[in-house]
Amino acid sequence: PPVLEVRGEVYMRRADFDALNERQREQVNANRYKRAWRAFWSQPEPGPSNPKRLHVPVAADLGRVAAQSLFAEPIVVTDPDGNAKLQTIIDDLVNTDDAHSRRLSAAESASMLSGVYGRIVWDRSVGDNPWIDWVDADRAIPTFRWGHLVAVTFWSELDSGDSNVILRWLQHYTAGRIDHALYAGTAD
């Protein structure tokens, strides 16, 4: 059941192996989980024994190391002509700790998902200046022409208030234009 799947993910993140072992015993007869569980954790232990297991978050560590090696030092953007007024604007927009933090986070996602997409957003109720919002590759549908990115569609799922209806918000970015569409559908 989905509830048990979610609980299992929570137990894995917390590394609560006693709860995971109990969950294993509850699901040992469920064929769907049985093969996957045994492939990952081996055969269930008979009786009251409770072996200690170690969860090592290798994928997350690899992503973090890759991102930190790429952006170990903050990127500093400068005006090659030395225009002081323009440099002040650049510093306010992209040479900030927040921008570096966002780039580092995007690099972690990119190392695990094979890419991220940056889009410039500006919401005056959130901030005085525009910023780059990084979108994971699994929330984007790119369009390439002759090897060049010419458009990208970002999608998000919104709450419809009805458990049988899922709203999908699509934002289609092309040069100089953003088209929005909202579709109602099901989980499939």
Side-chain angles (χ1 to χ4, degrees):
V3 172
L4 291 177
E5 290 176 18
V6 170
R7 271 194 221 133
E9 290 178 19
V10 171
Y11 295 148
M12 285 295 287
R13 289 189 186 125
R14 287 191 318 216
D16 185 351
F17 296 107
D18 294 331
L20 278 170
N21 284 333
E22 181 60 33
R23 182 171 175 265
Q24 177 188 20
R25 293 184 209 299
E26 291 172 5
Q27 294 181 344
V28 76
N29 293 325
N31 286 334
R32 185 169 140 192
Y33 299 106
K34 190 175 181 179
R35 285 188 293 264
W37 185 270
R38 287 185 176 168
F40 190 74
W41 286 115
S42 74
Q43 297 294 324
E45 296 291 325
S49 68
N50 187 8
K52 297 297 177 193
R53 295 181 173 133
L54 178 65
H55 173 69
V56 182
V58 176
D61 290 344
L62 287 175
R64 191 176 309 103
V65 167
Q68 289 173 346
S69 65
L70 184 60
F71 292 114
E73 295 294 322
I75 294 174
V76 178
V77 179
T78 58
D79 175 30
D81 296 330
N83 182 330
K85 185 175 181 181
L86 179 58
Q87 188 61 49
T88 302
I89 294 170
I90 291 171
D91 289 342
D92 289 343
L93 295 177
V94 295
N95 292 338
T96 64
D97 291 338
D98 183 57
H100 175 65
S101 174
R102 290 175 185 263
R103 278 190 296 268
L104 192 59
S105 179
E108 282 186 38
S109 290
S111 69
M112 291 183 262
L113 296 173
S114 300
V116 292
Y117 293 84
R119 60 181 173 182
I120 297 174
V121 295
W122 193 357
D123 182 347
R124 290 182 193 242
S125 67
V126 175
D128 294 333
N129 296 315
W131 65 93
I132 299 174
D133 178 44
W134 299 97
V135 181
D136 290 341
D138 62 352
R139 293 282 184 190
I141 304 167
T143 303
F144 291 94
R145 188 176 308 134
W146 305 110
H148 294 273
L149 180 66
V150 294
V152 63
T153 302
F154 299 115
W155 62 275
S156 303
E157 290 185 355
L158 305 174
D159 183 24
S160 67
D162 181 353
S163 62
N164 296 324
V165 177
I166 294 178
L167 298 175
R168 291 183 179 89
W169 175 29
L170 278 65
Q171 303 168 52
H172 184 72
Y173 285 69
T174 55
R177 183 181 174 117
I178 304 171
D179 294 315
H180 297 266
L182 185 63
Y183 294 93
T186 63
D188 298 335

